[in-house]
Amino acid sequence: MTTQQLTRGYRFGDIRLTGFVGSGGFADVYEGFAAGDQRVAVKVLRRGVARPDAEALSRFRREAEIIAVVRSDNVAAFIDADLDADPPWIATEFVDGVS
């Protein structure tokens, strides 16, 4: 399964996906809901990127580490992550806006 094939109802930990938001250079972003109906964005490292390209996985890990410690009204809050999952993912609060 590619990350684009993830469907409504698919779960990352306690997060239930509700839809596809968009794609970037090496990841896809989905909307979902965590416990307590908190709306979240789930960034998923694309399959085929994480395993063959150690640099992409390393950058994704650094991104998760930074997001987890930054506290600012200008940065989406860290919710959860599983960097050892297949595929690896990071969840943050969902912020409405344009792509």
Side-chain angles (χ1 to χ4, degrees), residues 44-62:
V44 181
L45 192 61
R46 247 185 245 118
R47 293 183 196 267
V49 172
R51 300 303 176 237
D53 187 347
E55 183 180 338
L57 182 55
S58 177
R59 286 193 333 252
F60 200 67
R61 284 185 181 281
R62 278 194 312 272

Side-chain angles (χ1 to χ4, degrees), residues 11-52:
R11 290 192 173 271
F12 286 101
D14 293 333
I15 299 167
R16 176 183 44 84
L17 296 186
T18 55
F20 180 75
V21 175
S23 293
F26 63 97
D28 297 319
V29 178
Y30 294 85
E31 176 185 23
F33 286 88
D37 286 333
Q38 180 182 18
R39 190 174 176 208
V40 298
V42 182
K43 186 174 185 178
V44 181
L45 192 61
R46 247 185 245 118
R47 293 183 196 267
V49 172
R51 300 303 176 237

Side-chain angles (χ1 to χ4, degrees), residues 3-4 8 11 17 20 32 37 41 56 60 62 64 89-90 93 95 99:
T3 55
Q4 291 89 355
R8 185 180 190 96
R11 290 192 173 271
L17 296 186
F20 180 75
D37 286 333
F60 200 67
R62 278 194 312 272
W89 57 273
I90 303 168
E93 69 179 320
V95 178
S99 177

Side-chain angles (χ1 to χ4, degrees), residues 1-2 12 19 21-22 24 37 42 44-46 48-49 51 54 67 70 74 78 81-84 94 98-99:
M1 168 178 13
T2 66
F12 286 101
V21 175
D37 286 333
V42 182
V44 181
L45 192 61
R46 247 185 245 118
V49 172
R51 300 303 176 237
I67 292 170
V70 171
N74 299 314
F78 176 82
D82 188 345
L83 303 174
D84 296 317
F94 193 97
V98 295
S99 177

